[in-house]
Amino acid sequence: TCDTGDQQTTAAVRLKEPAATIVERLKDVSTYEGEDAVFECRLSQEAAQDAQWFLGDVPLQSNEMNEIRVQGTRHSLILRKVTLEDCGSITFKVGQHSSAA
């Protein structure tokens, strides 16, 4: 605000946070049936609110079969006790960026 006594003007500053990008991509995982499969990637910043994991086209959530972790910029997915039905493409998406393994 600038105030000269009889006149006043005001302006605002707005910042847009840059979109997160994937700086360390997913790697393919081979394991045995009944073991856990761990997928990890790293983002350019911590504050990524729209990150999502997919098995094929199905979005994944943390539950007894899938564990989703976020530690700073590192995002990980643990598929517990995988079966043959778990074979396929794992995709991590954040904003308009994605990585698959």
Side-chain angles (χ1 to χ4, degrees):
T1 300
C2 178
D3 191 339
T4 63
D6 60 339
Q7 291 183 325
Q8 186 180 44
T9 185
T10 302
V13 175
R14 293 183 182 89
L15 297 176
K16 290 185 177 181
E17 189 173 341
T21 59
I22 300 171
V23 296
E24 186 178 310
R25 303 185 69 74
L26 294 177
K27 294 177 178 65
D28 292 342
V29 172
S30 295
T31 190
Y32 293 101
E33 190 170 15
E35 293 186 351
D36 294 348
V38 179
F39 297 88
E40 291 185 334
C41 64
R42 193 167 50 88
L43 301 183
S44 59
Q45 61 191 36
E46 289 188 26
Q49 301 297 325
D50 57 348
Q52 179 68 58
W53 290 94
F54 295 85
L55 174 55
D57 293 331
V58 178
L60 299 176
Q61 298 178 352
S62 275
N63 57 37
E64 66 278 354
M65 297 305 293
N66 312 311
E67 183 179 346
I68 295 173
R69 293 182 186 168
V70 179
Q71 295 171 309
T73 59
R74 184 159 305 278
H75 290 248
S76 58
L77 167 68
I78 303 169
L79 299 179
R80 300 267 183 227
K81 299 179 182 172
V82 294
T83 66
L84 293 175
E85 290 78 32
D86 295 317
C87 289
S89 179
I90 295 291
T91 305
F92 178 80
K93 293 183 181 179
V94 60
Q96 296 186 4
H97 304 281
S98 67
S99 178

